[in-house]
Amino acid sequence: MDAGGETDFNMEEWPFYWLTRFSGRYLQQMELALKPIGLDVAQWRVLMALRDRERLSVSEIADHAIAKLPTMTKIIKRMESDGLVACTPRPSDQRVTEVRLTPEGEAASREAWAAANRIYARTFEGVSDRDVASLNRLLRTITRNIVL
């Protein structure tokens, strides 16, 4: 496809169309799955960023979640008041706030992961592990390219 050409444009041949549709549908499904367990997509992103890590800074979480730092700070403060995360200054740099999951946050993370895993299984039904790995490689490459 000639991305610069204005003639013969077919929206359904434009990869951003499909990426946007997929992302929107995925977020709709996640909202529906998370609501019964008292979470939203923003909280899900924090929980998943911390899932396999002992602690991260608010900035690191914002980067993983593709969120602005002030927005992420508000989300984390709300989660802290809900007892899902605990925040402490980084010992080596008191200006940096580190976030870790509380036991309640770990439980919420497990519930959210189960809900997300059901969506994943339904979404990728009939798609081979090899194709998923290829898709991940392709998305990683184009993600790197778009910020250059």
Side-chain angles (χ1 to χ4, degrees):
M1 172 180 204
D2 177 12
E6 293 182 27
T7 60
D8 301 327
F9 176 77
N10 179 347
M11 180 174 63
E12 292 187 6
E13 296 301 321
W14 187 246
F16 294 113
Y17 170 78
W18 292 109
L19 289 168
T20 302
R21 283 186 62 84
F22 173 78
S23 181
R25 293 265 171 96
Y26 168 71
L27 291 174
Q28 285 175 339
Q29 293 301 305
M30 285 300 295
E31 286 172 359
L32 291 171
L34 293 170
K35 189 173 184 173
I37 55 179
L39 297 171
D40 60 31
V41 172
Q43 291 170 314
W44 150 256
R45 289 177 175 163
V46 173
L47 294 173
M48 290 307 103
L50 291 167
R51 183 171 168 78
D52 296 326
R53 295 166 184 91
E54 186 175 326
R55 62 189 70 230
L56 289 173
S57 72
V58 176
S59 297
E60 290 167 326
I61 295 170
D63 184 54
H64 285 293
I66 320 242
K68 294 179 181 175
L69 185 57
T71 302
M72 185 52 62
T73 299
K74 289 176 188 172
I75 293 163
I76 289 173
K77 285 182 187 281
R78 182 170 43 107
M79 292 178 74
E80 185 177 33
S81 69
D82 291 343
L84 298 173
V85 298
C87 299
T88 54
R90 179 172 283 167
S92 62
D93 185 347
Q94 299 284 306
R95 298 169 297 176
V96 176
T97 299
E98 291 189 326
V99 184
R100 66 174 173 77
L101 293 177
T102 63
E104 293 84 1
E106 289 175 7
S109 175
R110 284 190 296 276
E111 280 189 80
W113 180 250
N117 216 24
R118 288 189 294 274
I119 292 169
Y120 178 92
R122 185 174 69 240
T123 302
F124 287 95
E125 184 177 335
V127 179
S128 72
D129 290 344
R130 182 178 175 184
D131 285 344
V132 171
S134 293
L135 177 61
N136 283 335
R137 277 192 303 278
L138 181 59
L139 291 171
R140 190 175 302 114
T141 299
I142 63 176
T143 298
R144 287 181 186 136
N145 289 348
I146 201 165
V147 295
L148 295 178

